[in-house]
């Protein structure tokens, strides 16, 4: 398993995952592949202020994804790293992939001198499990 920056070639595979798997509380919304693909392309091309990591399985197929950005609070010029998207294929959630994706995001944020990492859970999926996971790797509920 490897963590790497996503490429344009990864977009169709990532789109397939979204089409195939119900996305938590967002499952009732229609999937717009053109919008999804354009957003992923923007994240890939804006690597200074945004990141899009994928985690490959043993067959070098992306099965986890994390997107983030550098942002600013309305009252401060200090950068903060904000999570946009974080998803690991259900078949890989019990392994180390989820941790390694989050650690890649943390390192990316540190390299950009971010004062904070802002991570929210908006999917509605496994909220208690996600809370335990985030606390285990050093996050705290605010």
């Amino acid at each position: 398993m490897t963590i790497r920056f996503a490429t344009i070639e990864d977009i169709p595979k990532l789109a397939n995952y979204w089409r195939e798997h119900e996305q938590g509380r967002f499952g009732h919304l229609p999937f717009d592949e053109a919008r999804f693909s354009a957003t992923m392309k923007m994240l890939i091309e804006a690597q200074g202020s945004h990141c899009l990591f994928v985690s490959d399985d043993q067959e070098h197929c992306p099965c986890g994804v994390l997107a983030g950005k550098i942002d600013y609070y309305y009252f401060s010029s200090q950068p903060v790293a904000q999570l946009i998207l974080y998803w690991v294929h259900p078949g890989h959630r019990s392994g180390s992939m989820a941790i390694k994706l989050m650690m890649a995001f943390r390192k990316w944020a540190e390299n950009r001198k971010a004062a904070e990492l802002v991570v929210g859970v908006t999917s509605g999926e496994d909220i208690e499990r996600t809370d335990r996971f985030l606390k285990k790797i050093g996050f705290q509920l605010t």
Side-chain angles (χ1 to χ4, degrees):
M1 182 216 24
T2 59
I3 306 295
R4 61 179 173 79
F5 285 107
T7 65
I8 298 297
E9 292 76 28
D10 293 317
I11 295 173
K13 183 68 171 180
L14 296 174
N16 282 336
Y17 286 144
W18 254 258
R19 204 176 7 267
E20 293 172 7
H21 299 282
E22 182 180 321
Q23 297 303 311
R25 70 177 192 84
F26 303 116
H28 68 285
L29 297 172
F31 178 67
D32 182 337
E33 186 167 349
R35 181 169 176 80
F36 178 87
S37 296
T39 301
M40 296 300 108
K41 185 175 186 285
M42 180 279 299
L43 291 167
I44 291 166
E45 292 175 347
Q47 282 193 6
S49 60
H50 292 72
C51 63
L52 183 61
F53 291 105
V54 294
S55 180
D56 291 331
D57 62 14
Q58 292 81 356
E59 289 79 40
H60 305 288
C61 185
C63 52
V65 61
L66 184 148
K69 67 179 181 174
I70 293 296
D71 207 349
Y72 300 86
Y73 290 124
Y74 63 92
F75 57 85
S76 177
S77 59
Q78 184 70 39
V80 295
Q82 188 170 35
L83 186 72
I84 299 171
L85 161 67
Y86 183 49
W87 183 82
V88 175
H89 188 281
H92 295 276
R93 289 183 182 165
S94 62
S96 63
M97 183 179 301
I99 294 171
K100 289 183 178 184
L101 276 168
M102 193 59 76
M103 294 301 105
F105 179 50
R106 178 176 280 163
K107 187 66 165 172
W108 179 86
E110 288 171 359
N111 288 339
R112 280 147 187 80
K113 310 288 188 241
E116 291 185 347
L117 253 69
V118 181
V119 174
V121 180
T122 59
S123 68
E125 288 185 47
D126 276 332
I127 294 172
E128 294 82 14
R129 181 179 177 195
T130 304
D131 181 58
R132 286 190 306 271
F133 165 73
L134 290 171
K135 286 177 180 174
K136 181 179 177 180
I137 62 172
F139 287 88
Q140 53 187 308
L141 183 63
T142 57

